[in-house]
Amino acid sequence: DLARAYALRQRVEREEQQRLERERQAEAARRREARQKLFELMQKASLNAPEAELPRHFEHAGKIRRLYVTAEQLKALNGGGLAIVSAGGRYHLVSLEHAAEADRLMPGCVALRVDPNAPDGGDDYSDPRFAVPDDLVW
């Protein structure tokens, strides 16, 4: 009776491990497929220009990144008409429609999307915590 209970428990644990492994493999296959679709999308949608000379700096993954753009692309990017997508270890300049599709394929891949209606961050020194006292003498 005790041996049968141990055998049953081992079988249940083995089936659980097999189920977890199948789920892990299915998730890896889904990510691989999404990465491939994103790569194909970036191949046709990327607006990166080889003659671009102006650097556009932005923060992504905790670091300052740089993408070279043309003057027209810089105006459109800063105005909210274009976005930057991270795919395959590179940054691609794309339209907002393609950026939305890329974000649907792989959430979190949009590195920069400027919102033209966002309130201005303002000067940090306008914060009362950083105000210089009137009686400060150098």
Side-chain angles (χ1 to χ4, degrees):
D1 196 33
L2 187 59
R4 197 176 331 155
Y6 279 127
L8 180 63
R9 187 177 79 181
Q10 283 181 338
R11 185 171 53 101
V12 168
E13 287 176 357
R14 187 173 45 249
E15 288 173 356
E16 179 67 18
Q17 288 175 351
Q18 290 173 351
R19 184 187 62 79
L20 291 174
E21 180 64 23
R22 281 192 306 271
E23 288 176 1
R24 188 186 66 74
Q25 288 177 354
E27 178 63 23
R30 187 197 62 77
R31 279 194 315 259
R32 203 170 26 255
E33 182 182 340
R35 201 175 305 124
Q36 180 63 31
K37 286 181 180 179
L38 182 62
F39 177 76
E40 292 170 1
L41 175 66
M42 291 300 109
Q43 290 295 317
K44 67 177 182 179
S46 182
L47 301 174
N48 292 7
E51 69 277 356
E53 295 179 344
L54 301 173
R56 173 56 162 98
H57 295 90
F58 58 97
E59 181 187 355
H60 184 249
K63 293 184 180 181
I64 302 295
R65 310 296 178 150
R66 174 180 48 216
L67 178 70
Y68 287 98
V69 295
T70 63
E72 297 82 25
Q73 289 173 337
L74 183 63
K75 286 180 186 176
L77 182 60
N78 290 337
L82 296 175
I84 298 176
V85 173
S86 172
R90 296 187 60 216
Y91 292 99
H92 302 274
L93 189 67
V94 297
S95 67
L96 291 179
E97 295 81 24
H98 288 113
E101 186 176 344
D103 196 37
R104 183 186 54 78
L105 286 172
M106 187 171 276
C109 70
V110 177
L112 177 68
R113 183 183 302 145
V114 177
D115 183 10
N117 300 326
D120 186 19
D123 187 12
D124 284 340
Y125 296 108
S126 64
D127 190 342
R129 294 179 297 159
F130 303 117
V132 177
D134 294 332
D135 60 345
L136 180 67
V137 179
W138 291 99

